[in-house]
Amino acid sequence: MKNEDVFLQSAPLLEKLEQAGFEAYYVGGAVRDYLLQRPIGDVDIATSARPEEVKSVFPKTVDVGIEHGTVLVIWKGDGYEMTTFRTESDYKDYRHPETVSFVRSLTEDLQRRDFTMNAIAMDRSGRIIDPFNGQQALANKEIQTVGEASERFSEDALRMMRAARFVSQLGFRLHPHTTAALKKHASLLQHIAVERKLNEMEKLFAGANKNKGMEVLMKAGLHTYLPGLIDQEAAIEKLLSFSFDHLSSNQMWLLLLRLLNHPSPKAFLSEWRMPAQKIKYVTRALQLLDKRDTQPWSAVFLYEAGMESAIDVEIVHSLLYGREAEVEELTERYAQLAIKSLHELAVSGKDLLVWKQEKGGPWMKQYLAEIECAVVERKVENSKEKIKEWLESCNLL
Ligand code: ATP
Ligand code: MG
């Protein structure tokens, strides 16, 4: 959807709040990305209405974080997060504010936000409210905290990782004060939950300027407080010597793991609290990458890897060895494989039982594996008849 349409679609929500006597604005990433003419994700709405008041204005709402002032309003099938203007104070343990107070002033709400570019509001007519010169920061392509950087990072240390991920997302640089404060307060990151770190890391890995983002992390020493990256300067330096901006998140983890040479990739990724499925995928891809070192892509190797893993391995492998990735060729070769999985094999264990007239047992699995391999290598056509003939010619029936 076009940015203008996203705002147009949600404008009636702001209007409804206004009609009920409240203020309401678009805030956060949506306004920032709109001003940068980048595709916007979710729209966040800030309002002077208290959660209970928001709920009284809209028929369909979900309490998603009511103690922080956030209510999800369901409107024409979509959900919109509405957060009451608030201030935060008495930050505890460098992460969570002890007190969240609802306020009626937009400026106070904008003041609690992390970076000036994220502290711009827009009303439904498109008027910009920008008390902290966020637009200037956008024009300068500069990331700068609202207020004193040291103070802001001490309040919530996650903001330091957010700075690095915005560098990756936007390709901006950090304001010198922001850089200095990052270096000074890097160790506070130890107080932040791994889940939140992973969330920011994934956003960094999804950005178009990952090299820059990783450089910020490393130079500030933030990596020391990330799972498995303490004392890994050499590996990270090596990582930074590659151009990896075009890599996907899976490919980034793969490349990172390869360079870290971690004794247990699974343990490393588990420490990051990565979803089990992703851990499985990445660790397997790492094994395939090692295998790719010793052999080129053959039909069987491609078949074994599967398309997605083969592409990930190919891209990382080509990067490591400074050659062009042959993704298109690989995709074509994969498409031409005789079968893509065991299910596509023209014979099953049942056929084998009938042909061999023997009791079922481990031999069946072995047979199927051999047939599978022969079909993929095109030694035999994938048809019942041909496979039977082939087994006979090998004296297996
Ligand atoms: P995107 O959605 O593109 O990842 P965003 O800027 O919208 O980026 P969110 O995490 O969705 O980021 O947060 C929405 C807004 O809330 C931010 O723009 C910022 O104003 C504020 N914000 C979020 N996290 C923090 C934080 N840790 N400290 C201060 N303000 C924050
Ligand atoms: Mg957002």
Side-chain angles (χ1 to χ4, degrees):
M1 206 190 310
K2 281 201 300 201
N3 282 352
E4 281 75 6
D5 294 340
V6 177
F7 289 121
L8 267 180
Q9 209 172 45
S10 45
L13 293 163
L14 278 66
E15 195 178 355
K16 275 194 178 305
L17 284 165
E18 285 172 17
Q19 281 165 353
F22 303 107
E23 287 178 50
Y25 303 89
Y26 301 108
V27 285
V31 179
R32 178 194 69 227
D33 291 341
Y34 167 69
L35 292 171
L36 288 171
Q37 297 184 320
R38 290 165 51 88
I40 61 177
D42 296 336
V43 290
D44 289 312
I45 297 167
T47 176
S48 61
R50 304 283 151 94
E52 297 309 321
E53 293 166 334
V54 172
K55 285 164 76 169
S56 72
V57 172
F58 298 99
K60 249 182 142 173
T61 61
V62 184
D63 292 356
V64 286
I66 213 156
E67 65 285 4
H68 303 116
T70 307
V71 174
L72 188 73
V73 173
I74 311 294
W75 177 259
K76 296 193 174 164
D78 289 317
Y80 297 87
E81 281 202 351
M82 293 209 180
T83 306
T84 304
F85 296 160
R86 61 172 210 232
T87 58
E88 296 171 350
S89 51
D90 307 329
Y91 287 86
K92 206 178 139 199
D93 302 336
Y94 314 102
R95 34 192 164 156
H96 290 304
E98 185 82 322
T99 325
V100 170
S101 319
F102 298 141
V103 293
R104 296 283 188 189
S105 137
L106 171 68
T107 312
E108 271 188 80
D109 179 83
L110 294 177
Q111 193 161 12
R112 70 157 170 100
R113 295 176 184 270
D114 49 5
F115 303 108
T116 59
M117 64 179 186
N118 290 343
I120 309 171
M122 183 170 86
D123 75 7
R124 68 187 164 88
S125 71
R127 188 174 64 93
I128 297 290
I129 300 99
D130 181 17
F132 304 102
N133 292 324
Q135 291 172 103
Q136 190 60 53
L138 291 179
N140 297 345
K141 298 186 186 302
E142 203 161 53
I143 298 170
Q144 184 172 15
T145 52
V146 174
E148 224 257 302
S150 280
E151 198 177 302
R152 303 312 310 280
F153 292 155
S154 306
E155 287 170 358
D156 178 358
L158 187 75
R159 290 171 187 155
M160 296 189 285
M161 268 199 93
R162 285 174 60 86
R165 78 106 147 156
F166 283 123
V167 166
S168 173
Q169 273 182 337
L170 305 172
F172 286 15
R173 57 180 180 277
L174 300 179
H175 187 279
H177 291 161
T178 309
T179 306
L182 271 190
K183 287 194 176 136
K184 191 166 155 205
H185 295 288
S187 71
L188 296 180
L189 198 59
Q190 65 188 289
H191 302 288
I192 298 299
V194 176
E195 287 81 352
R196 297 177 80 202
K197 291 176 181 171
L198 175 64
N199 186 32
E200 292 303 325
M201 199 65 174
E202 289 288 15
K203 286 186 175 173
L204 194 158
F205 281 175
N209 309 272
K210 303 184 232 304
N211 267 87
K212 273 189 176 180
M214 281 305 291
E215 205 179 326
V216 166
L217 271 190
M218 160 95 181
K219 281 198 171 154
L222 290 168
H223 65 284
T224 302
Y225 307 95
L226 295 175
L229 295 182
I230 187 169
D231 294 334
Q232 291 293 349
E233 286 73 20
I236 302 173
E237 287 286 5
K238 178 83 191 156
L239 177 78
L240 288 172
S241 72
F242 295 104
S243 300
F244 50 75
D245 281 347
H246 61 293
L247 264 54
S248 70
S249 156
N250 280 344
Q251 293 159 8
M252 278 305 291
W253 288 107
L254 189 55
L255 176 64
L256 179 62
L257 269 170
R258 171 60 177 263
L259 297 173
L260 286 173
N261 209 2
H262 197 283
S264 167
K266 184 166 180 255
F268 173 82
L269 297 175
S270 304
E271 223 194 314
W272 273 95
R273 308 266 161 87
M274 198 177 266
Q277 223 180 346
K278 183 157 170 162
I279 295 182
K280 215 166 140 185
Y281 180 85
V282 176
T283 49
R284 181 168 176 273
L286 189 64
Q287 287 165 358
L288 293 167
L289 181 63
D290 290 342
K291 189 165 170 176
R292 177 65 187 85
D293 283 337
T294 63
Q295 62 175 88
W297 292 112
S298 63
V300 171
F301 189 11
L302 254 180
Y303 172 82
E304 177 202 349
M307 186 76 262
E308 192 187 353
S309 299
I311 290 177
D312 286 346
V313 168
E314 170 66 10
I315 286 178
V316 174
H317 188 266
S318 62
L319 194 72
L320 287 166
Y321 290 88
R323 63 174 176 85
E324 191 109 4
E326 288 168 355
V327 174
E328 217 167 294
E329 192 204 314
L330 218 55
T331 313
E332 220 161 275
R333 283 180 63 193
Y334 187 81
Q336 280 163 10
L337 285 179
I339 53 169
K340 308 280 191 298
S341 78
L342 192 56
H343 303 292
E344 292 179 28
L345 209 58
V347 300
S348 66
K350 252 195 205 155
D351 299 310
L352 293 178
L353 285 174
V354 174
W355 292 341
K356 235 177 129 62
Q357 302 279 316
E358 243 179 60
K359 259 184 31 189
W363 65 270
M364 286 169 62
K365 219 178 157 187
Q366 255 169 36
Y367 267 52
L368 283 173
E370 280 198 41
I371 299 168
E372 189 185 18
C373 197
V375 167
V376 173
E377 283 177 335
R378 293 195 184 276
K379 284 184 186 156
V380 55
E381 206 180 289
N382 187 29
S383 80
K384 251 191 199 164
E385 204 180 314
K386 295 282 180 199
I387 290 171
K388 189 163 182 244
E389 276 172 25
W390 178 77
L391 286 172
E392 280 163 351
S393 74
C394 302
N395 289 325
L396 287 168
L397 284 184

